[in-house]
Amino acid sequence: MKYFSTQHQTDPVDLRTAVLQGLPRDRGLYMPEDIPMMPPRFFEHIHTLNFREIATAAALTLLGEDLEPNVIIPIVDETLTFNTPLVKLDDTHYVLELFHGPTMAFKDVGARFMARLMAHFMRGEDARCTVLVATSGDTGSAVANGFYGVEGIDVVLLYPSGRISPIQEQQLTTLGGNISALEIEGTFDDCQDLVKGAFVDKTLSETMMLTSANSINIARLIPQSFYYFNAYAQLKSRGVEDAPVFSVPSGNLGNLTAGLLAKRMGLPVKRFIAACNGNDSLPRYLRNGQFVPRPTKHTISNAMDVGNPSNFARIEDLYGYAHGFLSQDLTGWSFSDDETRAMMKTVYERYRYIADPHGAVGMCGTQRYHDDVNGNDVCITAETAHPAKFGDVVHAVLGIRPDMPERLASVLDKTKHSVKLPADLSLFRQFLLDRKP
Ligand SMILES: *Cc1c(COP(=O)(O)O)cnc(C)c1O
């Protein structure tokens, strides 16, 4: 299978090139040329399969032309060392908990898969490969963990100074080894621009092998489709046969794009809701057909603070640049921090469920859907982070502290190692050149 650039200014490439290069030279994003369907039979017995079996079937369908089963199966097995349980709040509202991985955010799934796939492609290469990651918080720690200790690969993380939670910062600055962290004096969009700038920089591309590990790498996007199938399977095993509505707390739109991909592969889904915080570029586009990115706004759901979401290019391409066609599958709303806090209170009071601020934005999406569109439809909200990762927000809103899982607590005492840099491409370039072995 070939992967094309959404800008269509470069030739399609094979999977290996798409994964190792990350971003096409024309600044588009890679997408599979055709999206294979799962056989209808798969959905008849999906509820009898476990997460790994479901993910293996989807991975073989998507990647089976390019990789042998004996490569795909271990990558899936090593990635999915945890489940994505579906928790019932009431008859029409379920929560898909995506935070049971090592860094307790949904990004573990994509990052672990990508690290293992890249390591597979790097085997037998002499050159080292440098993975650049701009992170609004959780990407960095998931990617850093996914790649930590992987032979032949160095990781450079860029995060916006003062805009991520203390735990997030500890998670990405304390690993050491093949992982370096850069604290950028700017926003997430500045970090993302630096990464994009590095990729099109001639000096850098001639001296080192650079690749990206943002949700823009196709190797992260593909595995994120797996848990949508797993959600459906769990719904079905509870005897619910409806095609669900998914409400996805959205920032750079990787998670949402992966859901749309799963639907294109045949997964029964009634509709997707893009649940956004005050960064509302996508909801505005869905209302008026104009995609006008705005500067990033700072909110309490900071991993979704993205003013110019990259994956919009993939979504547009998937729907043939047809606003009307996309609107049949996707609704989008933006919610304020006050609405998010009110939702955290409501779900806690009603269900004793502690939502993190990102999941709470998703729940706002579900509630709006039930109020304004159809109150009887079964909705699944993706809960993208463990509430303890945002313990200060939870405490300020609910007056309680979520239990801190050992996995999170252990990073707090470690020493932070990071380099502070202004958001300046030439300084970033110099940093990369200087650390070249
Ligand atoms: C990254 C992240 C999001 C947003 O996901 P996108 O794929 O960028 O839309 C939502 N919640 C949490 C906790 C995240 O870390």
Side-chain angles (χ1 to χ4, degrees), residues 108-158:
D108 282 324
V109 176
R112 290 168 69 78
F113 190 89
M114 177 181 59
R116 283 156 182 81
L117 189 54
M118 272 188 185
H120 165 73
F121 285 135
M122 284 300 292
R123 225 157 272 153
E125 289 276 333
D126 292 335
R128 291 185 73 77
C129 161
T130 302
V131 177
L132 300 182
V133 195
T135 176
S136 55
D138 290 330
T139 302
S141 48
V143 168
N145 261 273
F147 279 104
Y148 183 63
V150 171
E151 282 296 322
I153 301 183
D154 297 313
V155 177
V156 177
L157 305 162
L158 294 83

Side-chain angles (χ1 to χ4, degrees), residues 105-107 136-139 168 215 224 248-256 303-304 306 311 356 358-359 384-385 390:
F106 82 93
K107 292 186 176 76
S136 55
D138 290 330
T139 302
Q168 287 177 325
S215 44
Q224 291 186 356
V248 185
S250 292
N252 212 23
L253 310 179
N255 206 6
L256 180 66
M304 290 155 44
V306 186
N311 283 293
D356 99 293
H358 304 80
T384 46
F390 300 91

Side-chain angles (χ1 to χ4, degrees), residues 145-375:
N145 261 273
F147 279 104
Y148 183 63
V150 171
E151 282 296 322
I153 301 183
D154 297 313
V155 177
V156 177
L157 305 162
L158 294 83
Y159 67 95
S161 181
R163 314 254 172 140
I164 66 174
S165 77
I167 295 184
Q168 287 177 325
E169 186 164 21
Q170 283 298 108
Q171 280 184 316
L172 41 107
T173 58
T174 58
L175 281 168
N178 59 331
I179 315 292
S180 333
L182 285 180
E183 183 173 350
I184 301 296
E185 294 161 340
T187 62
F188 170 68
D189 289 326
D190 292 326
C191 297
Q192 195 153 255
D193 285 345
L194 287 175
V195 169
K196 287 182 181 168
F199 281 116
V200 293
D201 186 280
K202 252 186 122 64
T203 321
L204 288 177
S205 57
E206 278 162 11
T207 41
M208 59 182 68
M209 187 167 169
L210 288 181
T211 189
S212 126
N214 280 6
S215 44
I216 51 187
N217 192 305
I218 191 71
R220 275 191 56 197
L221 192 73
I222 285 173
Q224 291 186 356
S225 64
F226 302 160
Y227 44 71
Y228 289 92
F229 292 100
N230 192 36
Y232 177 75
Q234 292 176 75
L235 203 56
K236 199 166 165 159
S237 73
R238 289 163 187 252
V240 181
E241 299 278 338
D242 313 32
V245 173
F246 281 99
S247 179
V248 185
S250 292
N252 212 23
L253 310 179
N255 206 6
L256 180 66
T257 307
L260 297 171
L261 180 67
K263 180 165 200 275
R264 192 61 64 86
M265 291 173 73
L267 179 69
V269 178
K270 178 150 187 192
R271 179 166 277 275
F272 287 92
I273 300 165
C276 298
N277 59 27
N279 295 282
D280 65 346
S281 302
L282 181 65
R284 278 186 289 110
Y285 165 81
L286 290 167
R287 274 201 305 278
N288 62 21
Q290 309 279 325
F291 187 70
V292 185
R294 295 227 176 115
T296 302
K297 277 188 204 157
H298 184 36
T299 74
I300 56 168
S301 47
N302 64 40
M304 290 155 44
D305 292 351
V306 186
N308 186 8
S310 305
N311 283 293
F312 180 71
R314 285 194 168 119
I315 294 179
E316 261 196 312
D317 208 281
L318 201 54
Y319 285 84
Y321 299 84
H323 176 263
F325 181 26
L326 176 57
S327 305
Q328 290 172 16
D329 280 356
L330 184 63
T331 302
W333 290 298
S334 155
F335 300 96
S336 68
D337 282 353
D338 282 345
E339 288 172 298
T340 307
R341 291 189 191 97
M343 180 54 68
M344 290 168 71
K345 280 196 191 128
T346 304
V347 290
Y348 185 65
E349 280 158 14
R350 214 178 273 168
Y351 308 108
R352 293 286 142 194
Y353 190 88
I354 304 178
D356 99 293
H358 304 80
V361 172
M363 291 168 183
C364 287
T366 289
Q367 165 137 24
R368 176 77 57 88
Y369 182 89
H370 279 147
D371 289 347
D372 293 3
V373 182
N374 187 335

Side-chain angles (χ1 to χ4, degrees), residues 71-82:
V71 172
I72 296 178
I73 292 168
I75 292 178
V76 170
D77 285 351
E78 288 168 27
T79 299
L80 302 179
T81 50
F82 49 91

